[in-house]
Amino acid sequence: MLKEEAETRAQTAGRGKNFLMETWYCGIINQKIEEAVERGQYEVKIRFPARGYVSRHQQRFIELYEAQGYQVHFRPNYVHIEPSMFDMIIQWPPKEDKFVKR
């Protein structure tokens, strides 16, 4: 499938113009979340370039992940006067154990 055809299909399906880019980045983010869960962590930090797609569309990614129950924050990572990177911080509450230890 060509890029133009994929974009046309994404637009006709009632989704935004950048549906394919969102899907690709969400796949990367979800993989990082899965790795953190396997390690027993409740937070993941992912660094994106300041001019990258995720950094430019921070609000969209916040909406996507907050709708799934995550807490999402973006924090600038300064090297010079302007931020060169943004840290996307995703947190989720730990689940309580079903079995109570006595």
Side-chain angles (χ1 to χ4, degrees), residues 63-79:
E63 291 170 3
L64 286 171
Y65 282 93
E66 284 185 346
Q68 297 177 35
Y70 294 101
Q71 294 177 358
V72 183
H73 309 290
F74 276 87
R75 180 180 64 195
N77 187 329
Y78 292 94
V79 174

Side-chain angles (χ1 to χ4, degrees), residues 84-99:
S84 59
M85 303 289 274
F86 277 90
D87 294 331
M88 179 181 190
I89 303 165
I90 302 174
Q91 301 170 330
W92 55 93
K95 289 191 175 184
E96 296 179 16
D97 292 332
K98 293 181 181 179
F99 303 103

